[in-house]
């Protein structure tokens, strides 16, 4: 694939900004040249019938799908006792900046691989924080798109109402280039009509929108509880103001209610959509055909499934039916309450985006399906910190532009080998050998 890309470039041809660049995929994203496992030993040999839509788009763009990354098993839906970044198939992901730190989220392998430059960019998936959180702790740009902008077809699901895939990159430019390739209409994804309705199905020019002046005249909301002149977030707010943004304090009480209802909905959705995936999309010859059999398989392999499987069991106790009234009520409560809260804040305060340190926007944007972009904000010791921009549906173009203007004015990212002596010494030793 690299040689073919080199030949195109020699002829003056390029398929996309990603042509010839290596990309890593979280191992719940379907590929037919490598197993797609969600980190589960029960799916170790799963070669799905068809590649995920985003995998197809990446290959068509000339990107080189270099491999798969480990994840918190089943997108972190095995056990409450299981640490972030663990899977029975891949073992434990270790945070790059501090080996003892929590790698967070479920896109942990994509986060570590990207910050370590194992590839140019990576794909993560998010249901509730699993792009933004690992991007933050690995000093990356993470984009959690509006649900419906990026196809979920061919991705092993956690909760269909909230799932989305998105970019993880070391720069906003790389994230914008990746989003421009994987975004687009997909008739096989029932969330895609939202994109058609909002933007006419036309993928915005995310790269072309990046500008160092994008923050001029922009109104950015900040929770009263987070407003400060001190620390890294205080410094970030000062940079935003210096770039022309107006910081607008607001009362955030409305924004904190959706995530609990989301968890209740996930419990039912996981069973329904995983069983459907296994029945219709998974490869043949697997030792399991449904969630019940996965639980039984895991029970026979407790040396690998080390932390129990209470979340799998809890999901399996649900009806797993899409018309279950308790599920429907939980789902509606999660989505609608968060939508109303965000829409009210944007309208009442005339906001272009909401900014927050680290994970402040994760719960409400996950439950509502609204977009969220994080960019490196600096470090507390060895611990990376992120600045998050949340917006209205399908405003990724603006959010990426705001993040880019901040990134170019602040230049906060430092490679992990600079801040982690143990990692630097290890890499030096490996290089010497």
């Amino acid at each position: 694939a690299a040689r073919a890309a080199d030949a195109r470039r020699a002829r003056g041809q390029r398929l996309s900004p990603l042509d010839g660049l290596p990309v890593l995929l979280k191992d719940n994203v379907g590929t037919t040249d490598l197993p797609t496992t969600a980190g589960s030993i029960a799916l170790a040999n799963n070669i799905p019938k068809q590649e995920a839509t985003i995998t197809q788009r990446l290959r068509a763009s000339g990107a080189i799908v270099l491999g798969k990354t480990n994840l918190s098993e089943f997108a972190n839906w095995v056990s409450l006792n299981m640490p972030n970044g663990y899977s029975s198939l891949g073992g434990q992901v270790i945070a790059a900046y501090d080996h003892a730190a929590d790698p967070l989220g479920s896109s942990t392998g994509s986060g570590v691989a990207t910050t370590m430059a194992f590839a140019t960019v990576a794909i993560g998936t998010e249901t509730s924080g699993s792009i933004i959180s690992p991007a933050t702790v690995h000093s990356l740009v993470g984009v959690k798109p509006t649900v419906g902008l990026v196809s979920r077809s061919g991705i092993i699901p956690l909760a269909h109402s909230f799932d989305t895939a998105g970019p993880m990159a070391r720069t906003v430019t790389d994230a914008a280039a990746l989003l421009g390739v994987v975004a687009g209409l997909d008739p096989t994804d029932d969330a895609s009509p939202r994109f058609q309705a909002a933007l006419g199905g036309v993928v915005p020019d995310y790269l072309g929108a990046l500008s160092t002046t994008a923050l001029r005249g922009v109104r950015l909301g900040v929770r009263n509880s987070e407003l400060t002149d001190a620390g890294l977030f205080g410094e970030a707010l000062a940079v935003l103001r210096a770039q022309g943004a107006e910081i607008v304090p607001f009362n955030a009480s409305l924004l904190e209610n959706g995530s609990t209802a989301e968890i209740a909905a996930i419990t039912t959705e996981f069973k329904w959509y995983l069983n459907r995936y296994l029945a219709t999309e998974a490869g043949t010859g697997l030792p399991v055909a449904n969630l019940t059999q996965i639980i039984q398989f895991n029970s026979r392999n407790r040396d690998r499934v080390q932390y129990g499987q209470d979340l799998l069991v809890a999901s399996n106790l649900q009806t797993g039916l899409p018309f279950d009234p308790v599920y429907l009520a939980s789902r509606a409560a999660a989505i609608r309450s968060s939508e109303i809260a965000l829409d009210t804040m944007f309208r009442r305060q005339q906001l272009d985006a909401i900014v927050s340190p680290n994970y402040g926007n994760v719960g409400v944007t996950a439950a509502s399906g609204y977009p969220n972009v994080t960019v490196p904000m600096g470090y507390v010791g060895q611990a990376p910190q992120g600045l998050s921009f949340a917006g209205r549906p399908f405003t990724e173009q603006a959010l990426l532009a705001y993040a880019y203007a901040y990134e170019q004015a602040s230049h906060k990212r430092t490679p992990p080998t600079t801040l982690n002596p143990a990692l630097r010494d290890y890499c030096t030793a490996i290089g010497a050998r």
Side-chain angles (χ1 to χ4, degrees), residues 190-215:
D190 60 12
S192 202
R194 303 175 193 172
F195 173 44
Q196 175 67 48
L199 298 178
V202 178
V203 177
D205 182 1
Y206 299 114
L207 275 175
L210 302 183
S211 169
T212 56
T213 63
L215 287 165

Side-chain angles (χ1 to χ4, degrees), residues 30-393:
T31 51
T32 53
D33 55 350
L34 286 170
T36 300
T37 72
S40 169
I41 52 174
L43 302 183
N45 298 313
N46 175 39
I47 302 292
K49 295 182 176 69
Q50 185 171 312
E51 293 197 314
T53 298
I54 61 172
T55 305
Q56 297 175 41
R57 287 178 174 161
L58 285 165
R59 295 194 199 278
S61 78
I64 301 167
V65 178
L66 197 62
K68 310 295 276 292
T69 63
N70 195 15
L71 67 156
S72 304
E73 188 170 340
F74 284 121
N76 224 350
W77 198 258
V78 176
S79 173
L80 290 169
N81 299 315
M82 189 179 77
N84 290 309
Y86 180 81
S87 74
S88 59
L89 185 63
Q92 181 65 51
V93 175
I94 304 299
Y97 283 85
D98 180 351
H99 294 167
D102 187 338
L104 286 182
S106 70
S107 303
T108 47
S110 292
V112 172
T114 305
T115 203
M116 290 290 291
F118 295 164
T120 306
V121 290
I123 291 289
T125 66
E126 175 157 331
T127 306
S128 186
S130 286
I131 290 174
I132 298 300
S133 295
T136 297
V137 299
H138 293 106
S139 203
L140 297 173
V141 177
V143 182
K144 182 264 179 192
T146 309
V147 173
L149 179 64
V150 176
S151 172
R152 293 89 53 83
S153 294
I155 299 174
I156 297 177
L158 172 52
H160 186 72
S161 295
F162 311 101
D163 290 347
T164 185
M168 301 177 76
R170 293 184 294 281
T171 69
V172 176
T173 300
D174 288 348
L178 179 53
L179 184 61
V181 166
V182 297
L185 287 173
D186 182 0
T188 66
D189 186 342
D190 60 12
S192 202
R194 303 175 193 172
F195 173 44
Q196 175 67 48
L199 298 178
V202 178
V203 177
D205 182 1
Y206 299 114
L207 275 175
L210 302 183
S211 169
T212 56
T213 63
L215 287 165
R216 291 180 184 171
V218 170
R219 288 173 60 86
L220 300 177
V222 177
R223 294 164 174 81
N224 287 328
S225 60
E226 294 175 343
L227 190 63
T228 181
D229 294 325
L232 290 176
F233 190 52
E235 292 176 15
L237 293 180
V239 171
L240 296 174
R241 289 189 183 99
Q243 296 303 305
E246 180 182 357
I247 303 302
V248 182
F250 68 90
N251 186 332
S253 58
L254 283 175
L255 299 185
E256 318 305 335
N257 301 322
S259 57
T260 302
E262 183 194 11
I263 294 298
I266 290 172
T267 307
T268 289
E269 286 203 0
F270 177 72
K271 179 180 180 178
W272 164 249
Y273 285 100
L274 179 64
N275 283 348
R276 190 178 74 168
Y277 173 87
L278 292 171
T280 62
E281 300 181 49
T284 58
L286 297 179
V288 296
N290 52 48
L291 180 53
T292 298
Q293 293 182 11
I294 288 174
I295 292 169
Q296 294 169 346
F297 187 94
N298 288 345
S299 295
R300 297 192 296 270
N301 293 274
R302 291 181 181 175
D303 59 321
R304 301 287 292 277
V305 186
Q306 297 181 18
Y307 301 98
Q309 48 182 337
D310 51 276
L311 291 176
L312 296 183
V313 171
S315 281
N316 208 38
L317 292 173
Q318 306 302 309
T319 63
L321 299 175
F323 48 79
D324 182 298
V326 175
Y327 150 69
L328 290 175
S330 297
R331 177 183 177 276
I335 295 173
R336 193 67 190 125
S337 64
S338 297
E339 288 178 340
I340 291 172
L342 283 168
D343 292 345
T344 298
M345 288 298 102
F346 285 122
R347 182 180 63 254
R348 182 182 296 168
Q349 304 291 343
Q350 299 181 340
L351 302 178
D352 295 293
I354 294 172
V355 292
S356 184
N358 298 323
Y359 329 112
N361 292 325
V362 161
V364 71
T365 55
S368 63
Y370 286 14
N372 197 7
V373 174
T374 187
V375 62
M377 187 174 69
Y379 306 84
V380 176
Q382 289 179 216
Q385 309 291 302
L387 182 66
S388 168
F389 295 83
R392 292 183 177 91

